[in-house]
Each structure stands twice: as structure tokens, then as C-alpha cells.
Amino acid sequence: MNKISAAITGIQGYVPDYILTNKELETMVETNDEWIVSRTGIKERRILKGENKGSSDLGAEAIKLLLKKTKTDAKDIDLIICATATPDMLFPSTACLIAEKVGISNICAFDIGAACSGFLYALTIASQFLETGKHKKVIVVGADKMSSIVDYTSRETCVLFGDGAGAVLMEPNHEGLGIKDTILRTDGSGSKYLRQPAGGSLKPASHETIDAKEHFIFQDGQPVFKAAVKSMADVSEEIMKKNNLTADDIAFLVPHQANKRIIDATSRRMGVGDEKVMLNIEKYGNTTSATIPLCLWEWEQKLNKGDNLILAAFGGGFTWGSIYLKWAYDSKK
Ligand code: UT7
């Protein structure tokens, strides 16, 4: 029997209905459509409205649709990994809450936190569970209700983020398809530039932390931008070189959607043309753990069995990484 590799065998996204446009943001903070589009590429983003709804609701919707689409029985799933920076609560894990919402119990389910690189971290972890042969049907879901930690009086951050989720089914593959290589990195010295300062054990919630708006995202944009441009491009080039891939070999770059300028810098360094870059930041903004699966979901029909994809992300931590995978099925109907 050939070595087992871990392949994505189904993909599904879910975004809430409410569309927050740049025009509406102009009524909330001192900003304008021209600035937002030229500096970030974002035109609108989705927001999860309503009481008592968290990231688990986004993730659960994506998984319910995924199970239906792939005709998978919920009871056959043996592992759920949820990547999120906006868990419903610090504990229990959002993966546990999602499992309950989709009618799955008695399996291994846990969250991983790597901010915007979370989906790449979760895919890498999932691939190792599959490669041992112990797990057969694994779901990786990236789900983030970013609107829950965005300060809608801060123009520096409120224009950037949106809510969404994306889930993949992963199964063992014996044809050498699926995840071929992964590179994951961290640099904790970047933590001062991008963080949610309070609400954890370091600074539990208090009147002071609320008054200081420390439960919202803090981002010092420029150092994050500089590090993101360099790191995402470096790691994408590195994984290409390591696997003897040229730009011609690559069907698509699937980049984290934080800023179109960061994506452009990465694709330029890889030598990959715009037609090979998955880009939907204009519709959804930065949905953190959900950006990469939302892209795969929207491009699914263009993907063919054997296509070489490079996934790349950068985010809070700092964390960053890239994954080289061979798409495992023909998606065209
Ligand atoms: O996914 C996680 C990782 N995160 C990222 O990768 C994000 C990385 N950073 C970025 O994408 C960019 O730094 C931002 C999009 C956040 C900001 O773009 P920038 O080109 O770095 O702008 P800046 O922060 O240098 O600000 C330039 C100017 C400032 O005004 P002054 O000081 O030049 O008068 C800002 O106050 O733009 C101003 N500004 C705005 N103006 C209109 C900042 N935000 C806005 C806004 N509307 N929303």
C-alpha cells in the first residue's frame, strides 16, 4: 500500500447575510471608499447579526452544508479541529460547541489558536492525524466572528475585518495527492503589534480594561504590514524551491486575505500571474481563520485533480506559513 497522504475531499463556506459596505462605514467613522479600496482592496464584508450567535454558529453552518454536499454521515467524522481567534468562550472550545450543534459527540474535537494562520496550522495538524492511519474522516473548520472584537469607532481596524467560516473534509489518499509539504513559523516578538490585550489570564476583564477598549483588536498596521509582506513572500518562495516548483507548475496561490497589497507582493515574488491568485477580499474583508477555505470554496469549480496549490498566510503572533498541496478531485460538475 502506498504511503497515506491527507487530502481535502470536500469544501464549503458560510458567510452571514448582512453586508457592511464601505459606504455604510463612511457614516460610522472618518473614512472613505477610495482609501479603503486603494489601501486594502476591500469593498464590503459580512457581519453576523442577532443575539446569542458566535463563531460556533458560523462554523456549524459551514459543516452542516459540507456534510450534506459530500453526502457524509455525521457519525463517521472522527476528528474536528477548529481554527479561531474569536472563540465563543475561552472554554469550552468552539470545536466542542460546533460538534454539538452539528450532532457529533464522542470524538476528538479541539481548537487551535494561530490567528490569521490558524487554518494552515489546523490543516497541518489534521494531516498528521490522517497520515498515521488512525483517523479516516477529519473536519477542519476556520470560523471567526471578527465583528465581536472590532471597535467600530476605530477607522484603523473596523474597515478591515468581516465574519465568516469555511470547512474542509479531509480523508486519507493513496495516490500521492493532498498535502505534500508544510512550513509553519512563529515570532512572538511581533505580539506587541497585533493583539487583543485583555480578557485572558494576563488581564482579566475589569471596568478598567473595558474603559481602555482592551477587549478590541489592537493593530499597529505598518509593522504588521512590513512583516506580512516579507514573511508571506519568503515562505511561499521557500516552499516552491523546496519542492522544485516553478510558477508554471502552480495552478493557484491561495493567500490569506488581509490586504491586497500583501497578496500582490507574494504573487510577484512567486512569479505567479494575477489569473492564478484566488482573491475575494473585496467581498469579505479579513475573516481571519476563514479566508483560505472561503477562497477554496469559491474557486472549487475551477480546480482539477492533481492541481498544485500553494496556501500562504500571515497573522497575529506573529505566525505565518505555507502549504503545498495537490488537489485531490475534479470539482467541475
Ligand atoms: O491578517 C492579520 C495581519 N494583518 C495584516 O496583515 C494587516 C497589515 N497592515 C495593513 O494592511 C495596513 O497597514 C493597513 C491597511 C492596516 C493600513 O494601511 P497603511 O497604508 O499602512 O496606512 P497607515 O496606517 O500608514 O495610515 C496612513 C494614513 C494615516 O493618516 P496620516 O497619519 O497619514 O494623516 C491614517 O490615520 O491613513 C489614515 N487612515 C485612514 N484614513 C481613512 C487609517 N485608517 C484609515 C481609514 N480611512 N480607514
Side-chain angles (χ1 to χ4, degrees), residues 29-32 35-36 39-40 115-116 154-161 194 219-226 228 256-259 261-262 286 288 314-316:
V29 289
E30 183 78 40
T31 191
N32 57 77
W35 190 97
I36 304 171
R39 299 286 181 124
T40 71
C116 295
S154 160
R155 69 176 184 176
E156 281 78 17
T157 49
C158 75
V159 302
L160 303 174
F161 296 96
L194 181 53
Q219 176 169 254
D220 187 353
Q222 288 205 355
V224 179
F225 183 86
K226 276 188 202 144
H256 171 53
Q257 313 275 309
N259 188 319
R261 291 182 288 147
I262 299 171
N286 184 349
T288 302
F314 179 90

Side-chain angles (χ1 to χ4, degrees), residues 51-162:
E51 297 288 303
N52 294 319
K53 285 191 191 312
S55 297
S56 70
D57 295 283
L58 297 166
E61 283 310 313
I63 293 177
K64 281 182 204 160
L65 293 166
L66 176 70
L67 293 173
K68 197 167 166 208
K69 177 176 172 183
T70 56
K71 299 186 177 63
T72 304
D73 196 331
K75 73 171 171 17
D76 293 334
I77 301 299
D78 49 19
L79 169 66
I80 296 177
I81 305 177
C82 176
T84 185
T86 51
D88 284 22
M89 310 170 212
L90 285 181
F91 71 90
S93 72
T94 303
C96 282
L97 302 173
I98 289 177
E100 209 270 327
K101 283 180 178 159
V102 300
I104 298 176
S105 60
N106 282 325
I107 62 157
C108 176
F110 61 90
D111 288 358
I112 74 106
C116 295
S117 310
F119 193 76
L120 297 193
Y121 272 64
L123 273 188
T124 303
I125 295 165
S127 71
Q128 287 162 18
F129 274 83
L130 283 156
E131 284 163 13
T132 63
K134 197 169 170 202
H135 289 75
K136 306 287 184 218
K137 284 189 192 288
V138 174
I139 286 178
V140 173
V141 57
D144 269 303
K145 184 186 173 188
M146 295 307 291
S147 61
S148 64
I149 56 167
V150 165
D151 174 3
Y152 285 97
T153 66
S154 160
R155 69 176 184 176
E156 281 78 17
T157 49
C158 75
V159 302
L160 303 174
F161 296 96

